[in-house]
Structures are given as structure tokens and as C-alpha cells.
Amino acid sequence: MLDVSLSKVTRPLLRDEAYDRIRQAIVDGTLPPGASLRDGDLADQLGLSKAPVREALRRLAEEGLVDSKPQSYTRVSDVMSRDVLDAREIVRVLHDFAVRQAAPRCRPADVTAMRGANDRFAEAIEAGDVAAAVKADDELHDIPVRLAGNAAVAATLDRYTPLLRRLEHARFSSALAWNSVERHTRLIDALEKNDAETAVEVISTIWTDLLEDR
């Protein structure tokens, strides 16, 4: 038996739950850009103390979803903030890299999985289920990232992709979402042919147009 003294875990999930709930409300627009975020009000609505809410707001500020100035304001950041523009560029470049690495490694089973995800994406768009569309979109793009086999790329995408969720929600709830279905198909077709150049061209367009197609 390990002879050390460790402190007991003290309700760590409350902090994470507060973070997840507030972030989702920002992403889906329940808390719109510019909305004031008072820790006491949020704590009351979530049935929590102020401490986990304050920690959640601190994390969200680090991620660019919240703007905060001590003794002045804490509010939901603008959808088109500098942080969003920077994140879009990082995400685009890393997906370009992942797709280029994945193209020669893509196998029929991977293509089938991506087509299935795109079918679910289209069905979600048809049903107006934005949350399901985002989930299917993630599943589709995760396959080239996995095939690339670069842990640093995957971790960095996990860090910065959430900052783009509000743009995805806006896009996937509009007719522009059907452009994504078509681009997904072109991406999958290119990967099926192990055509890295075309795949990179398509994936770059997907992330660039996340801002331009608005």
C-alpha cells in the first residue's frame, strides 16, 4: 500500500459543471454577446455557490468567450472578437496539416465513417437540430485528425475549436449549412482518392468560409 497522505477530493465537478453550463449558454446564444455576467446571478440560476462560477468565468475569459475587467465588467465577448479571428486561423492551419497527413493513410473504413457522419450532419440540418449537426461535424473532422496521428495538433484543436462554436451554430442554423454538406462530400471524395492537394484546398475553404459565409 502506498504510504502517502493525500487530501480528499472536494467537489471538483461543480466547477466543471458551472463551466460547461455557462459555456454552452454562450455558444448557443442563450447568453448573447455583450450580456453582463454577474457571478451571484449565475450562481443562483445554477444552484451553486459563487466560487465555482467565478472559476468558470475565469476559464472562459482565458478562452476568449468572456471579456472581463476587474472592478468594472464581466460580459460575453463579441462573436467576431480578435480571439475568434486568431482561433479560426490556428484551426484552419492545423486542419490543413491534419488532412495532408491523413490523405495517404485514409482507408475505405475511414471514408465510410466520414460519409456516415456527413449523412448525420445533413439529417440534423434538415431537422433543424443544430446541436446534432455540430456533433456530426466534429465526428467527421475528427477522423483526419486521428489519422494524422499528431497529439499536439489534436490537443491544440481541442483548445481552440470551442471558440468557433458560436459561428458554427449561426452557420448550421441557416441555409449556408447545405454548403457545408457539399464541401464535406468534396473533402471525403478527395481523401478516398488519397488526393492530399484537393483535400487541403477543400478543408481550408471550409474554415475560411466559417467567417466569410455570414
Side-chain angles (χ1 to χ4, degrees):
M1 178 174 165
L2 188 63
D3 186 18
V4 296
S5 177
L6 298 176
S7 60
K8 293 184 180 298
V9 175
T10 57
R11 308 177 73 189
L13 294 181
L14 293 182
R15 176 192 59 208
D16 295 338
E17 185 69 16
Y19 167 79
D20 289 341
R21 296 283 187 89
I22 297 170
R23 184 177 71 167
Q24 183 58 38
I26 292 172
V27 168
D28 67 20
T30 300
L31 291 170
S36 179
L37 301 172
R38 297 181 176 85
D39 53 11
D41 293 342
L42 291 169
D44 288 343
Q45 292 182 45
L46 294 171
L48 299 172
S49 67
K50 290 183 181 180
V53 171
R54 286 172 179 161
E55 174 62 17
L57 293 176
R58 184 191 65 78
R59 288 173 62 188
L60 291 165
E62 290 177 351
E63 293 178 3
L65 289 172
V66 167
D67 291 330
S68 182
K69 182 178 180 180
Q71 309 304 318
S72 182
Y73 60 78
T74 301
R75 63 194 179 203
V76 178
S77 67
D78 187 79
V79 173
M80 297 295 288
S81 69
R82 182 71 253 174
D83 287 332
V84 171
L85 296 173
D86 290 346
R88 191 280 305 265
E89 286 306 303
I90 291 296
V91 169
R92 180 184 63 79
V93 168
L94 291 181
H95 276 289
D96 286 359
F97 172 85
V99 162
R100 187 176 297 280
Q101 297 300 308
R105 306 171 185 174
C106 198
R107 298 294 179 261
D110 303 311
V111 171
T112 298
M114 291 184 74
R115 292 199 191 282
N118 199 30
D119 288 343
R120 292 191 295 278
F121 178 81
E123 290 167 1
I125 295 303
E126 181 69 29
D129 188 340
V130 177
V134 169
K135 182 175 184 294
D137 187 71
D138 281 347
E139 291 169 353
L140 188 153
H141 290 293
D142 282 349
I143 293 170
V145 172
R146 173 179 57 78
L147 290 174
N150 188 307
V153 167
T156 306
L157 286 172
D158 283 344
R159 165 67 178 82
Y160 287 103
T161 300
L163 198 54
L164 305 177
R165 290 295 187 221
R166 286 183 290 175
L167 294 175
E168 290 183 326
H169 270 254
R171 183 188 182 92
F172 295 165
S173 62
S174 74
L176 293 172
W178 293 107
N179 293 341
S180 295
V181 175
E182 186 271 335
R183 287 171 183 146
H184 287 162
T185 300
R186 288 170 52 209
L187 172 64
I188 298 165
D189 289 345
L191 289 173
E192 185 173 31
K193 298 172 184 175
N194 305 121
D195 181 352
E197 294 305 320
T198 299
V200 169
E201 178 185 343
V202 175
I203 196 72
S204 184
T205 300
I206 287 173
W207 292 103
T208 300
D209 288 350
L210 189 60
L211 294 184
E212 274 67 13
D213 282 0
R214 300 183 76 246

